[in-house]
């Protein structure tokens, strides 16, 4: 046997045993025997560098990425799933599916589904070219994700090479997750070294996938399951609306399987891990039985699941139903009902938010609920507490569904201590002592002191957070110390911090039992934080806009504004009118930006940030990258004739607000022609080309229902 043949044989053998171990959980050989195969391969590859390949199992863990992850565009948007929270909602889904199909093909009756467990992990899209893994990307916002290939390659359940016979370019989607055991092990290790604990396996998986060091990722023990194949039409990425027309089994697969069940079998035959408990169900009753069965059985699984994903089995029927801009109409996630427990409410405390809103929360006797230990829960607002008559000392019913923050449902009156008294909102802010106010007609109490340290604390936490300026290490406890020592009095002061200043401070982490551990910050950590602060100066403009914490301006709005205005100066100079003319920016957001910019203190902050060296302009890619979003995204309409209920401008504004475009002439690509009174030749053209026409009533329905 030539070295080349032996190398090939070893690679196949190793993959075979990886699959037995990591996919099937049923190894055929002992670990030492596996290690021996690996060593032999390493040795042969070292002796024959010309035969080395990056797709060899010896090369799973590559070098550390220097900078962050590149942004990649998905060939087809990664849609999400609609949810059903009860059996009735699942019945309603089945009804919608059957009615939708009956309208299209006149065939009512039972419809076959595939039920799969919903894996509580992180969405992932793999690209294989000629059978070789070339890319792994996170879902991101559905259109753009992060290229995390180097980390994906370390997941031993994922083949670097598919079994023979898979040609061309294919995208496979599924979920990366952290098995419960690995999660517990990681948290134990983190506790020992005083690192903050991960709240649940999903957070740990998400955090791990975004780690820049593949060697660390390899040690964490991530795994994956796959459930979808999408073909990649060559050329430009598709718009959401076009994507909705595409079936999920690829256009460039020569013969795609006709059913979802056979797709899953196909994925498995290629060597990909598929969650094995899926079932084909002949109709609604079988589906319901599957969901009921897994309600308790799910605890026996080695991964977290928060429901069952129900998918229409017939691929042809899926295309008939299509998708909305967010969800396929042929699938739904049935969520297991929230878990409830009773525990003692030790104390009702209040939290002062970034905007000064004072919100009560419950401090609980720790209780284990849906896989985590819960010691705090939300309590909405003071009115709600009064209405439910929740008192300190009560035994309360607590609920937690999936990733939702636990909440107090109400007191168990029969177990109320005799000395419990109704709760009252404190009269003064617990942080600065200013009197609390409740504006007329609002439910929320506020601290109106503009220099309240609690507001600054929350504001800074937001500014530094991963989704805003992404300054790793600048978290709650460090910020609290900086404020306490008056080392920081606004966001711009962050940029004056030095490693020497930080090195003397302490960091706090919370153990699983709620106890806090204090550690000195140390020079190495201090230097890391300062490097992060420095790096954040060159962040994309939208991160700065979002980080400022302007009311109602979320990540998406910040991205839209950055793309539309290109610089903070241009944004600051924009009138409410100009703001409102921006795609997706309505009057409330426009007003909010304007009034924030009109506040002299805020303008001064912007100047100080500029002075500190924070970039205030968008790079050209940032301006170009933003794809329209909204229910009408990707659709183009043409208007003809006069509408009775609105002007032409108003109609255009309504379409654009929902992400659609308005064009001047009709073509085959036009999504619809809106026909008012006395239409012109455009209506005729639409008829000729078979473009859908909407009268005013139908148009109003579109813009109101979307
Ligand atoms: S199918 C277009 N199947 O749940 C349909 N998703 O809440 C794409 N998920 O984004 C999704 N297990 O990340 C599907 N068996 C499963 C799943 C699953 C987990 C995730 C997926 C999706 C999210 C929606």
């Amino acid at each position: 046997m030539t070295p080349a043949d032996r190398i090939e044989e070893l690679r196949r053998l190793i993959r075979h045993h990886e699959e037995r171990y990591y996919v099937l959980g049923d190894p055929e050989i002992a670990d030492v025997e596996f290690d021996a195969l690996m060593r032999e391969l390493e040795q042969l590859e070292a002796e024959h560098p010309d035969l080395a390949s990056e797709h060899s199992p010896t090369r799973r863990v590559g070098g550390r990425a220097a900078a962050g992850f590149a942004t990649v565009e998905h060939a087809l948007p990664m849609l999400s799933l609609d949810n059903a929270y009860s059996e009735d909602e699942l019945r309603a889904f089945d009804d919608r599916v059957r009615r939708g199909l009956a309208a299209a093909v006149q065939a009512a009756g039972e419809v076959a589904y595939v039920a799969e467990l919903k894996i509580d992990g992180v969405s992932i899209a793999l690209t294989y070219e000629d059978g070789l893994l070339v890319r792994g990307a996170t879902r991101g916002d559905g259109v753009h994700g992060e290229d995390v290939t180097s980390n994906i390659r370390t997941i031993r359940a994922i083949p670097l090479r598919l079994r023979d016979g898979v040609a061309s370019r294919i995208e496979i989607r599924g979920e990366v997750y952290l098995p419960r055991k690995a999660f517990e092990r990681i948290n134990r290790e983190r506790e020992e070294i005083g690192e903050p604990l991960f709240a649940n396996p999903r957070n740990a998986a998400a955090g791990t996938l975004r780690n820049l060091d593949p060697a660390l990722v390899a040690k964490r023990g991530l795994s994956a399951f796959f459930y979808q194949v999408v073909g990649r039409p060559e050329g430009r990425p598709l718009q959401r609306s076009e994507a909705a027309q595409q079936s999920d089994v690829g256009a460039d697969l020569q013969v795609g399987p006709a059913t979802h069940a056979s797709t899953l079998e196909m994925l498995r035959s290629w060597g990909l891990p598929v969650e094995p408990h899926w079932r084909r169900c002949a109709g609604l009753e079988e589906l319901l039985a599957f969901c009921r069965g897994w309600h308790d059985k799910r605890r026996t699984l080695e991964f977290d699941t928060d429901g069952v994903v129900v998918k229409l089995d017939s691929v042809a029927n899926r295309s008939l139903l299509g998708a909305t801009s967010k969800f396929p109409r042929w699938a739904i996630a049935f969520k297991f009902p929230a878990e409830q427990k009773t525990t003692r409410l030790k104390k009702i405390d209040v939290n002062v938010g970034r905007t000064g809103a004072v919100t009560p929360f419950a401090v609980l006797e720790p209780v284990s609920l849906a896989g985590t230990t819960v010691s705090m829960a939300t309590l909405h607002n003071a009115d709600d507490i009064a209405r439910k008559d929740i008192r300190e000392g009560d035994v309360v019913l607590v609920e937690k569904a999936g990733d939702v923050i636990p909440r107090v449902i109400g007191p168990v009156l029969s177990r109320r201590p005799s000395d419990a008294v109704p709760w009252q909102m404190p009269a003064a802010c617990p942080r600065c002592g200013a009197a609390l106010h409740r504006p007329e007609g609002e439910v929320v109490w506020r601290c109106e002191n503009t220099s309240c340290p609690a507001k600054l604390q929350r504001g800074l936490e937001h500014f530094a957070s991963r989704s805003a300026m992404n300054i790793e290490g600048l978290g709650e406890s460090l910020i609290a110390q900086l404020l306490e020592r008056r080392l920081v009095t606004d966001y711009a002061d962050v940029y004056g911090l030095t490693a020497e200043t930080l090195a003397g401070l302490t960091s706090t982490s919370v153990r699983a039992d709620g106890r806090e551990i204090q550690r000195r910050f140390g020079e190495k950590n201090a230097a890391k934080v300062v490097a992060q602060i420095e790096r954040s100066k060159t962040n994309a403009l939208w991160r700065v806009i979002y980080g400022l914490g302007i009311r109602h301006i979320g990540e998406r709005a910040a991205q839209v504004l950055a793309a539309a205005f290109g610089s903070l100066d241009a944004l600051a100079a924009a009138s409410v009118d100009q703001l409102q003319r921006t795609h997706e920016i309505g009057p409330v957001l426009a007003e909010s930006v304007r009034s924030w910019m009109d506040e002299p203190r805020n303008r001064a902050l912007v100047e100080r940030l500029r002075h500190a060296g924070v970039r205030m302009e968008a790079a050209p890619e940032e301006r170009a990258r933003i794809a329209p979003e909204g229910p009408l995204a990707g659709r183009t309409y043409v208007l003809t004739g006069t509408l009775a209920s609105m002007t032409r401008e108003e109609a255009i504004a309504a379409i654009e607000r929902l992400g659609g475009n308005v064009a001047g002439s009709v073509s085959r690509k036009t999504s619809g022609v809106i026909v008012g009174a006395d239409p012109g030749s455009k209506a005729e053209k639409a008829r000729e080309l078979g473009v859908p026409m909407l009268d005013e009533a139908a148009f109003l329905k579109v813009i109101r229902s979307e």
Side-chain angles (χ1 to χ4, degrees):
M1 191 182 275
T2 64
D5 288 343
R6 180 60 182 160
I7 284 179
E8 185 54 29
E9 184 177 62
L10 282 168
R11 287 179 186 161
R12 275 180 206 285
L13 267 173
I14 287 170
R15 179 59 208 155
H16 170 77
H17 291 301
E18 273 181 343
E19 195 176 332
R20 297 294 316 184
Y21 189 95
Y22 292 100
V23 179
L24 300 171
D26 184 18
E28 290 171 338
I29 57 173
D31 291 1
V32 285
E33 295 172 279
F34 181 84
D35 293 344
L37 292 175
M38 208 54 158
R39 265 202 312 279
E40 186 188 345
L41 179 59
E42 275 165 0
Q43 176 131 20
L44 275 174
E45 286 177 350
E47 285 164 12
H48 303 276
D50 53 316
L51 298 174
S53 152
E54 58 166 321
H55 299 284
S56 168
T58 54
R59 300 277 285 273
R60 281 195 177 265
V61 182
R64 201 188 157 91
F69 300 105
T71 301
V72 291
E73 183 155 6
H74 297 299
L76 289 172
M78 289 180 83
L79 300 182
S80 181
L81 289 172
D82 199 1
N83 292 318
Y85 292 100
S86 63
E87 293 198 352
D88 278 347
E89 288 184 23
L90 196 54
R91 281 199 182 88
F93 164 76
D94 175 58
D95 264 355
R96 281 199 301 279
V97 166
R98 284 186 298 131
R99 266 187 282 119
L101 291 179
V105 292
Q106 249 91 62
E110 294 266 79
V111 177
Y113 297 99
V114 168
E116 291 166 16
L117 292 171
K118 186 168 190 300
I119 303 123
D120 205 6
V122 184
S123 277
I124 201 82
L126 304 182
T127 309
Y128 284 90
E129 256 171 19
D130 294 329
L132 299 175
L133 177 65
V134 294
R135 188 176 101 175
T138 61
R139 175 170 186 275
D141 62 5
V143 176
H144 297 101
E146 284 180 310
D147 185 333
V148 290
T149 313
S150 51
N151 288 341
I152 290 296
R153 288 172 58 93
T154 69
I155 302 175
R156 312 271 299 256
I158 297 180
L160 297 176
R161 191 164 73 169
L162 296 180
R163 265 204 278 281
D164 292 345
V166 189
S168 89
R169 185 179 170 103
I170 198 154
E171 188 174 309
I172 290 158
R173 293 179 179 174
E175 202 82 356
V176 164
Y177 68 95
L178 192 67
R180 246 185 244 144
K181 279 216 175 77
F183 166 72
E184 283 157 16
R185 186 198 71 229
I186 293 165
N187 262 358
R188 261 198 317 274
E189 289 167 3
R190 288 172 77 85
E191 189 174 342
E192 274 161 24
I193 55 169
E195 296 244 339
L197 303 186
F198 287 118
N200 53 45
R202 182 167 38 79
N203 286 358
T208 303
L209 258 196
R210 298 187 75 259
N211 196 291
L212 290 176
D213 182 2
L216 178 141
V217 179
K219 282 194 215 124
R220 290 264 172 96
L222 290 172
S223 197
F225 287 127
F226 294 88
Y227 43 70
Q228 198 180 11
V229 181
V230 283
R232 183 190 194 282
E234 292 305 325
R236 87 197 149 88
L238 296 194
Q239 297 281 349
R240 272 174 198 267
S241 54
E242 289 174 287
Q245 315 289 319
Q246 293 269 331
S247 74
D248 64 332
V249 172
D252 64 355
L253 266 183
Q254 280 306 305
V255 194
T259 63
H260 185 62
S262 39
T263 304
L264 294 177
E265 280 157 2
M266 178 179 77
L267 286 170
R268 194 62 277 283
S269 74
W270 289 346
L272 286 153
V274 172
E275 207 294 311
H277 297 101
W278 63 272
R279 246 243 331 258
R280 187 172 182 279
C281 298
L284 179 70
E285 288 314 314
E286 282 187 29
L287 265 185
L288 290 171
F290 184 91
C291 295
R292 284 176 202 141
W294 278 103
H295 179 271
D296 293 325
K297 245 192 324 188
R298 69 186 144 137
R299 314 239 171 271
T300 62
L301 296 166
E302 55 158 27
F303 58 90
D304 275 5
T305 167
D306 56 343
V308 171
V309 182
V310 173
K311 303 172 178 179
L312 198 56
D313 192 29
S314 153
V315 170
N317 283 350
R318 287 183 180 190
S319 343
L320 288 175
L321 292 181
T324 71
S325 64
K326 295 200 193 101
F327 319 120
R329 290 201 183 85
W330 45 261
I332 199 158
F334 172 80
K335 292 294 190 80
F336 292 125
E339 268 199 76
Q340 301 186 339
K341 281 259 176 82
T342 53
T343 187
R344 178 86 49 197
L345 169 60
K346 295 201 289 196
K347 187 174 182 331
I348 298 179
D349 222 332
V350 296
N351 192 8
V352 186
R354 183 152 55 89
T355 58
V358 178
T359 43
F361 66 93
V363 181
L364 305 168
E365 203 79 68
V367 59
S368 141
L369 189 58
T372 51
T373 304
V374 171
S375 53
M376 279 191 285
T378 52
L379 277 166
H380 299 291
N381 54 51
D383 283 1
D384 203 51
I385 296 175
R387 197 162 37 80
K388 294 179 177 158
D389 189 19
I390 300 170
R391 304 182 183 188
E392 290 179 332
D394 270 344
V395 169
V396 290
L397 194 57
V398 189
E399 173 181 274
K400 185 166 171 246
D403 49 354
V404 190
I405 307 164
R407 65 184 194 106
V408 174
I409 301 172
V412 181
L413 290 175
S414 59
R415 295 171 70 185
R416 169 164 287 170
S418 54
D419 57 351
V421 290
W423 183 78
Q424 276 199 322
M425 186 60 118
C429 171
R431 212 34 207 280
C432 71
L436 297 183
H437 291 284
R438 164 141 98 167
E440 270 286 311
E442 284 191 21
V443 287
V444 176
W445 288 79
R446 283 180 199 281
C447 167
E448 276 158 4
N449 171 10
T450 44
S451 47
C452 170
K455 285 196 212 176
L456 192 53
Q457 165 93 32
R458 299 286 166 246
L460 269 167
E461 284 169 19
H462 169 76
F463 183 77
S465 68
R466 173 168 289 171
S467 49
M469 295 300 272
N470 193 16
I471 305 176
E472 217 176 298
L474 185 54
E476 187 175 343
S477 107
L478 181 54
I479 292 171
Q481 294 180 65
L482 293 171
L483 288 175
E484 205 177 302
R485 294 172 204 211
R486 303 199 60 77
L487 290 167
V488 163
T489 55
D490 74 5
Y491 305 171
D493 286 339
V494 166
Y495 292 93
L497 292 172
T498 62
E500 293 75 60
T501 318
L502 293 181
L505 304 175
T506 55
S507 68
T508 312
S509 56
V510 183
R511 299 188 347 170
D513 60 5
R515 248 186 53 205
E516 289 191 350
I517 311 171
Q518 300 274 347
R519 318 181 133 244
R520 239 178 57 82
F521 214 72
E523 263 156 44
K524 235 168 107 188
N525 280 337
K528 267 195 212 157
V529 174
V530 170
Q532 285 283 323
I533 292 172
E534 189 58 31
R535 187 203 42 75
S536 78
K537 288 183 184 172
T538 53
N539 271 345
L541 176 64
W542 71 264
R543 288 187 174 275
V544 182
I545 298 174
Y546 178 56
L548 292 174
I550 304 170
R551 248 180 124 183
H552 305 301
I553 303 300
E555 282 173 67
R556 173 76 192 174
Q559 288 166 1
V560 169
L561 291 170
F565 291 92
S567 73
L568 208 58
D569 288 338
L571 181 65
S575 67
V576 169
D577 234 27
Q578 282 168 319
L579 286 161
Q580 227 176 302
R581 258 181 271 135
T582 314
H583 252 325
E584 298 180 37
I585 304 295
V588 176
L589 274 67
E591 270 304 338
S592 178
V593 172
R594 194 58 262 150
S595 72
W596 193 92
M597 294 291 178
D598 283 339
E599 166 65 45
R601 254 184 296 233
N602 293 337
R603 294 294 275 263
L605 170 64
V606 169
E607 282 323 304
R608 284 174 34 72
L609 285 171
R610 186 199 315 277
H611 191 71
V614 175
R615 202 175 75 181
M616 303 256 155
E617 268 98 43
E621 316 83 81
E622 192 181 353
R623 299 206 68 173
R625 212 179 63 188
I626 195 104
E629 204 179 25
L632 299 185
R635 295 193 217 172
T636 303
Y637 292 89
V638 171
L639 295 157
T640 178
T642 318
L643 297 175
S645 60
M646 63 178 93
T647 63
R648 187 182 166 80
E649 283 63 41
E650 284 167 340
I652 294 176
I655 293 169
E656 288 183 347
R657 226 185 348 267
L658 296 169
N661 289 313
V662 176
S665 60
V666 183
S667 78
R668 260 177 234 287
K669 292 208 184 108
T670 309
S671 317
V673 174
I674 295 140
V675 186
D678 301 323
S681 63
K682 291 174 192 165
E684 252 158 61
K685 183 84 186 278
R687 205 166 297 125
E688 259 167 48
L689 296 177
V691 170
M693 288 196 276
L694 291 86
D695 62 12
E696 185 162 354
F699 172 59
L700 289 176
K701 232 162 126 190
V702 168
I703 57 179
R704 289 192 183 138
S705 70
E706 293 277 6

